[in-house]
Amino acid sequence: MKKQTRNLCIAAAAFIVLGGAYIALAGQQTEEEETVAIEELTDLDVTDLTYTNTEGTWHLTKTDDAWSYADDAACPIDSMAVQEFVDEIEEITADRKLDNPDADADYGLDAPDYTMELSDGSQTVTVTASVQDSVTYLKANDTVYATTAYLPEGLDQGLNGWIEYENIPYATEDSLTEIVWGDTTVTRVLEEETASADESEASEASDSENETEEEEVTKWQITNASGTRTIEQDSTMDTFHNAVRNLYVLSCADYGVTDTARKQTYGLDAPQTLKVSYATEDGTASYTITIGASDGNGGYYAMLDDNGIVLVLEAEGVDTLRSVDLSA
């Protein structure tokens, strides 16, 4: 009888534990599913956005599906990227709406981290956001929400994050035909070399005893202040080619930089110059990168084909390129 009672107790305990786990899981699933929409943004088709972060205030407008910078229509804005950003804002959800909120200061909303003003032309919604540890408080017009979801990353960007720019063209190593780096020119040359047939094969056939074959070998002609010389592909050339081909754009720093005074700000008034020529299916192509001063944050200012847009190149690639010694 005692054994039966003990078994019943164990079964009851197991039932309670399993039942508790089920309830907790069900509660978690319910909590995950029960997100609250930001009602003020639900039916908004935004065509005008002004947002403020620690960098400043940015005003973007949309006309005929194209976004532009309100303060300068000549700024080359990446419309697709801005639209994705706006869509993310419109889709922000909360964990709950605070029906009887305390003062804004209690949620950090008196000095918010972000402010967004969104309009569709007929109505305007102002959203402020304050990140407090793992919870973000949002105030849409007069309604306060709380969420543990992440806000769109675009809120941390300034204008430069929305500038559309050309990236450095990609050229395979085999397609490279000429590289001009400063006062050094490296040109691909194909030379025919004569190789004797294998003696063992020649012994099998008398008519091939003196047989030779021609093969093309890629070499590189290097011309600089030391003169001109031709070398075969070696580890130094491998490093040089990889450095040229793998320069990496981190970000955009400015646009419309065409006059000497503004170029001087980025060390682009007297830059190092890299010109790369390469073969394509349609013939040949080339691009020129001018490299200026350090940005002080792990990059170098640069410009592609003198197009007025200042890029930031990853410092490691530039440093590697500069370290290659092609002197005789």
Side-chain angles (χ1 to χ4, degrees):
M1 184 68 178
K2 289 181 179 180
K3 185 176 181 181
Q4 186 177 17
T5 303
R6 182 184 176 187
N7 290 340
L8 287 173
C9 290
I10 293 174
F15 177 78
I16 292 171
V17 171
L18 292 173
Y22 174 79
I23 293 171
L25 179 60
Q28 183 180 1
Q29 291 175 337
T30 302
E31 184 178 349
E32 290 175 353
E33 293 171 359
E34 290 181 355
T35 56
V36 178
I38 308 298
E39 297 172 1
E40 291 77 4
L41 300 178
T42 302
D43 298 320
L44 204 63
D45 185 11
V46 178
T47 56
D48 191 285
L49 167 66
T50 300
Y51 73 100
T52 301
N53 57 25
T54 55
E55 290 192 33
T57 298
W58 320 105
H59 185 190
L60 302 165
T61 60
K62 181 181 180 182
T63 304
D64 297 330
D65 295 327
W67 285 93
S68 62
Y69 179 43
D71 293 346
D72 183 3
C75 178
I77 292 294
D78 186 340
S79 288
M80 184 177 297
V82 173
Q83 187 59 57
E84 290 176 356
F85 171 48
V86 171
D87 291 343
E88 289 176 351
I89 294 176
E90 293 175 342
E91 294 168 2
I92 293 175
T93 58
D95 296 338
R96 65 186 189 279
K97 179 171 72 172
L98 307 185
D99 294 325
N100 297 296
D102 297 327
D104 285 354
D106 293 332
Y107 309 112
L109 292 170
D110 57 328
D113 297 303
Y114 309 100
T115 299
M116 297 158 271
E117 187 175 281
L118 309 99
S119 174
D120 61 3
S122 60
Q123 59 177 324
T124 299
V125 177
T126 299
V127 179
T128 54
S130 177
V131 181
Q132 305 288 311
D133 296 324
S134 60
V135 178
T136 297
Y137 292 98
L138 301 163
K139 186 175 183 179
N141 289 344
D142 296 320
T143 306
V144 179
Y145 300 86
T147 183
T148 53
Y150 291 107
L151 295 176
E153 292 182 359
L155 285 172
D156 290 314
Q157 294 189 163
L159 176 64
N160 293 338
W162 306 118
I163 293 177
E164 187 171 37
Y165 59 85
E166 290 183 42
N167 217 324
I168 300 172
Y170 179 75
T172 64
E173 185 171 354
D174 289 340
S175 72
L176 295 174
T177 57
E178 185 175 83
I179 303 166
V180 181
W181 172 230
D183 63 355
T184 298
T185 300
V186 179
T187 306
R188 179 190 292 271
V189 291
L190 294 176
E191 292 188 357
E192 289 189 348
E193 290 191 351
T194 301
S196 297
D198 186 89
E199 293 181 358
S200 62
E201 294 180 359
S203 63
E204 295 178 2
S206 58
D207 61 346
S208 63
E209 184 174 350
N210 298 316
E211 182 180 338
T212 60
E213 58 181 14
E214 302 289 337
E215 61 178 10
E216 285 189 336
V217 177
T218 296
K219 294 186 178 181
W220 298 93
Q221 180 178 284
I222 302 175
T223 303
N224 52 28
S226 301
T228 299
R229 61 194 177 94
T230 300
I231 65 171
E232 295 185 358
Q233 186 81 25
D234 57 13
S235 59
T236 298
M237 290 306 299
D238 287 340
T239 301
F240 179 63
H241 289 156
N242 288 334
V244 167
R245 295 170 51 249
N246 294 324
L247 291 176
Y248 181 71
V249 178
L250 293 173
S251 61
C252 174
D254 204 350
Y255 70 97
V257 180
T258 56
D259 60 273
T260 302
R262 290 189 65 190
K263 286 184 177 181
Q264 189 173 17
T265 303
Y266 302 101
L268 291 169
D269 55 320
Q272 286 183 288
T273 301
L274 172 69
K275 181 178 180 180
V276 179
S277 300
Y278 57 100
T280 67
E281 292 182 355
D282 300 322
T284 59
S286 67
Y287 61 86
T288 300
I289 301 174
T290 48
I291 303 174
S294 167
D295 73 338
N297 193 32
Y300 288 97
Y301 295 118
M303 190 176 292
L304 178 64
D305 292 329
D306 201 30
N307 62 7
I309 296 179
V310 179
L311 307 173
V312 178
L313 299 182
E314 185 179 45
E316 182 179 357
V318 176
D319 290 340
T320 300
L321 180 60
R322 287 173 171 171
S323 71
V324 179
D325 184 7
L326 295 178
S327 61

